């Protein structure tokens, strides 16, 4: 064989080898382009960047949006690893749901605040509208919305068993700028209970408030009684309540009077420092609240939460 023929055969072999190498390297890309499924990031895939030639011979801007004339900066596509969370959003939501709620911030009470508050300073213009928390959540929400539209704060003395059925109402009340208190777990005659039974009634409601809001609340109000007996006050203090919240105005809205009659009962009795006892779950209370708030405003009285009863109006 001549030297020229040997050189020609060698060149032919080199060209053939090079073509085979190119075809083998492009096999993965050709297979990916032929796939009808959605594309995903692949560490072994061929990346095309500005300044390189598109293997398909197309416009580089169609391959990389960051190319001048494209739609804008390309969004990086994360490469999934075997240990990665396939739904990072779900993990974040779970972390948020498990985070303890932030307790509400309450104004300090003045020194000398009595253990059982029946009313506040008579020389002031504040009036505390307290509401027993139970009943139809639609009526409860309607009552809250009326107060919020008028800039009034309510103190909801909530029943623990109601929170078991309507746990979302705890945050709804606080998020509306209102205040939450403890009105026992089952709303039974707490004065007739043994000390252990009374403490359990208070503690069970406190546990639910703590879990749902981050705080047991400042106030406790006995169930089926206007005033707390010494035994009940002792059990409330053992659970963590330094103050019992009573009231001096009881318009008996639980008897479902007309809205006009309920307004009359409240407005003829309320004065500076008064604590009014109302109830959720009664349509008459919802209907009467706008007129009550208007009447208090005409009398120069300001409806506030119980914790703000002692602050200047």
């Amino acid at each position: 064989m001549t030297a020229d023929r040997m050189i020609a055969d060698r060149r032919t072999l080199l060209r053939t080898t090079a073509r085979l190498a190119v075809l083998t390297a492009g096999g993965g890309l050709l297979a990916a382009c032929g796939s009808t499924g959605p594309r995903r990031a692949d560490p072994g895939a061929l990346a095309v960047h500005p300044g390189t030639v598109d293997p398909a011979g197309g416009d580089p801007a169609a391959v990389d949006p960051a190319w001048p004339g494209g739609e804008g900066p390309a969004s990086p596509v994360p490469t999934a690893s075997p240990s990665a969370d396939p739904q990072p959003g779900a993990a974040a939501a779970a972390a948020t749901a498990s985070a303890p709620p932030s307790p509400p911030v309450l104004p300090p009470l003045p020194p000398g605040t009595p253990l059982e508050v029946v009313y506040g300073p008579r020389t002031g213009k504040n009036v505390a509208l307290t509401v027993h928390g139970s009943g139809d959540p639609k009526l409860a929400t309607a009552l809250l919305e009326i107060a919020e539209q008028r800039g009034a704060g309510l103190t909801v003395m909530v029943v623990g068993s109601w929170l078991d059925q309507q746990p979302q109402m705890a945050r709804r009340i606080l998020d509306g700028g209102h205040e939450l208190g403890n009105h026992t777990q089952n709303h039974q005659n707490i004065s007739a209970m043994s000390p252990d039974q009374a403490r359990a009634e208070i503690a069970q409601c406190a546990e639910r408030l703590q879990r749902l809001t981050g705080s047991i609340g400042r106030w406790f109000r006995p169930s089926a009684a206007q005033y707390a007996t010494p035994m009940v006050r002792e059990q409330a203090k053992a659970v963590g309540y330094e103050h019992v919240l009573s009231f001096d105005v009881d318009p008996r809205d639980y008897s479902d009077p007309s809205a006009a009659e309920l307004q009359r009962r409240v407005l003829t009795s309320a004065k500076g420092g008064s604590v009014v006892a109302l109830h959720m779950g009664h349509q008459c209370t919802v209907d009467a609240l706008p007129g009550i708030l208007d009447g208090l405003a005409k009398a120069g009285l300001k409806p506030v939460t119980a914790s703000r009863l002692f602050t200047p109006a």
Side-chain angles (χ1 to χ4, degrees):
M1 181 179 292
T2 65
D4 292 342
R5 178 63 180 272
M6 292 176 63
I7 293 172
D9 290 345
R10 185 178 179 184
R11 288 175 177 173
T12 300
L13 178 62
L14 291 173
R15 285 195 296 269
T16 302
T17 303
R19 288 170 183 158
L20 288 173
V22 171
L23 290 173
T24 302
L29 178 61
L30 293 174
C33 291
S35 173
T36 58
R39 299 187 183 184
R40 61 178 176 83
D42 186 347
L46 178 63
V48 180
H49 302 283
T52 63
V53 178
D54 179 4
D59 181 4
V63 179
D64 191 336
W67 184 270
E71 295 181 1
S75 300
V77 180
T79 301
S81 63
S83 60
D85 181 3
Q87 294 181 341
T96 301
S98 61
S102 300
V105 178
L106 299 175
L109 297 178
T113 299
L115 297 177
E116 182 159 16
V117 173
V118 180
Y119 53 85
R122 291 301 192 191
T123 56
K125 296 297 183 180
N126 292 334
V127 172
L129 296 181
T130 67
V131 188
H132 293 196
S134 61
D136 186 345
K138 293 182 180 180
L139 292 177
T141 300
L143 198 70
L144 296 172
E145 290 176 347
I146 293 171
E148 291 157 10
Q149 292 167 0
R150 305 297 185 94
L154 304 179
T155 300
V156 182
M157 307 304 298
V158 74
V159 177
S161 59
W162 186 61
L163 287 183
D164 290 339
Q165 299 172 351
Q166 310 293 337
Q168 78 284 356
M169 290 302 300
R171 288 307 318 179
R172 170 63 185 86
I173 290 166
L174 293 182
D175 291 345
H178 310 287
E179 186 175 9
L180 273 172
N182 184 325
H183 196 36
T184 75
Q185 177 64 19
N186 297 296
H187 202 266
Q188 298 174 351
N189 185 0
I190 194 170
S191 303
M193 296 179 183
S194 70
D196 288 344
Q197 290 172 329
R199 183 184 300 188
E201 275 289 302
I202 302 168
Q204 288 173 24
C205 184
E207 183 277 329
R208 284 148 177 80
L209 288 170
Q210 179 71 46
R211 172 166 44 84
L212 294 171
T213 71
S215 169
I216 67 171
R218 169 174 282 166
W219 307 101
F220 166 74
R221 173 173 288 173
S223 51
Q226 181 174 0
Y227 306 106
T229 65
M231 180 275 291
V232 171
R233 285 198 299 269
E234 180 180 355
Q235 300 312 312
K237 187 172 183 179
V239 174
Y241 293 98
E242 297 292 333
H243 299 281
V244 174
L245 183 61
S246 183
F247 48 89
D248 65 320
V249 178
D250 181 12
R252 304 184 306 282
D253 59 339
Y254 51 81
S255 64
D256 293 319
S258 67
E261 174 60 18
L262 181 54
Q263 293 171 14
R264 187 193 66 79
R265 293 177 184 179
V266 173
L267 297 176
T268 56
S269 301
K271 59 189 71 173
S274 282
V275 179
V276 182
L278 297 169
H279 294 75
M280 287 180 166
H282 293 265
Q283 185 64 52
C284 67
T285 309
V286 175
D287 296 339
L289 186 58
I292 291 173
L293 296 176
D294 289 343
L296 292 175
K298 290 179 181 179
L301 300 174
K302 181 179 180 181
V304 297
T305 61
S307 286
R308 298 190 178 278
L309 188 62
F310 302 90
T311 60

